[in-house]
Amino acid sequence: MTGRLSLVDVASVRTSLFKCLAEQPDALFVDLAGLSIEEPIALTVLSAVSRQAARWPGIPVLFCAPAGPVRRVLLGGTYRRLPLRVTVASARERVRADGRSLPSVIDDLLPVAGAPRHARRVATDACLRWDLPVLVGPACVIASELITNVMDHAGTMATLRISLLPRYVTIAVRDGSVVAPRRRSPDESGGRGLLLVEGMARSWGWLPVDGGKVVWASLGRVSRRSARRGRRV
């Protein structure tokens, strides 16, 4: 990020950084060395990005700022919880030292009748591979409904990605439509998809990407002992 940051820039910065998150990289480094602040409150956009990354896709986001006004503000009370490094190189070394990598299952699906069924198979295989059989049911429903929404409303290729995080399993579907998903009242023609997702997921949402969007949902992981007892941990 370079130039002077003011409140009028917040929306575009937020969208740009959310698009970076939607690509689901292993980590996101935000280089602030060339940034100056016109209105310090505009830096709240960095907090919004950090919160979104924690919810989904569950990757580390590190902000990189050398000594100067931006770093002094970020070390203050409002922003002190943001992960801050001096340079991008030091941020990269930090992530390497942590050794974080998200196990993921990724598949591309055509908008054809068998796509939701295939999505359920992918979700089942992922949950069993990670020894999380109790999540097979909800993961299958979410994956199937997100793919069905692509077929019904986007009509494009879809990329299904299921990832294992320390506390969650996330299910994300990328399509080629820029139209935001929206809940609607169920009727004879349908409308229950996102309501089912919302009812089963710990949280869900969507982010824009170039030429489309990603819709995601997360499920809380459970241990084998708690699964037998029917309790979430």
Side-chain angles (χ1 to χ4, degrees), residues 116-117 119-129 131-146 162 169 171 193 196-202 217-220 222 227 232:
R117 182 172 63 253
R120 291 193 292 272
R121 284 201 300 269
V122 173
T124 298
D125 291 345
C127 292
L128 295 181
R129 177 185 304 180
D131 196 22
L132 295 169
V134 73
L135 294 187
V136 168
C140 283
V141 171
I142 291 173
S144 177
E145 292 299 334
L146 294 183
I162 304 176
V169 169
I171 302 160
L196 286 172
V197 171
E198 185 177 63
M200 292 190 169
R202 178 70 63 88
S218 64
L219 290 167
V222 295
R232 189 179 298 274

Side-chain angles (χ1 to χ4, degrees), residues 29-111:
F29 308 128
V30 184
D31 187 353
L32 307 175
L35 186 71
S36 60
I37 311 170
E38 184 173 317
E39 296 168 284
I41 195 174
L43 286 173
T44 56
V45 67
L46 305 185
S47 299
V49 172
S50 185
R51 287 194 300 270
Q52 175 60 58
R55 295 175 66 207
W56 183 86
I59 62 169
V61 177
L62 285 82
F63 302 98
C64 311
V70 173
R71 186 175 182 85
R72 285 197 295 272
V73 173
L74 291 178
L75 289 173
T78 303
Y79 306 105
R80 67 181 182 275
R81 294 183 181 275
L82 292 179
L84 186 63
R85 309 297 289 181
V86 175
T87 64
V88 173
S90 64
R92 186 174 287 112
E93 287 302 317
R94 172 64 180 272
V95 170
R96 287 173 178 166
D98 289 344
R100 292 191 58 182
S101 182
L102 304 181
S104 297
V105 176
I106 305 171
D107 208 345
D108 293 323
L109 293 86
L110 291 167

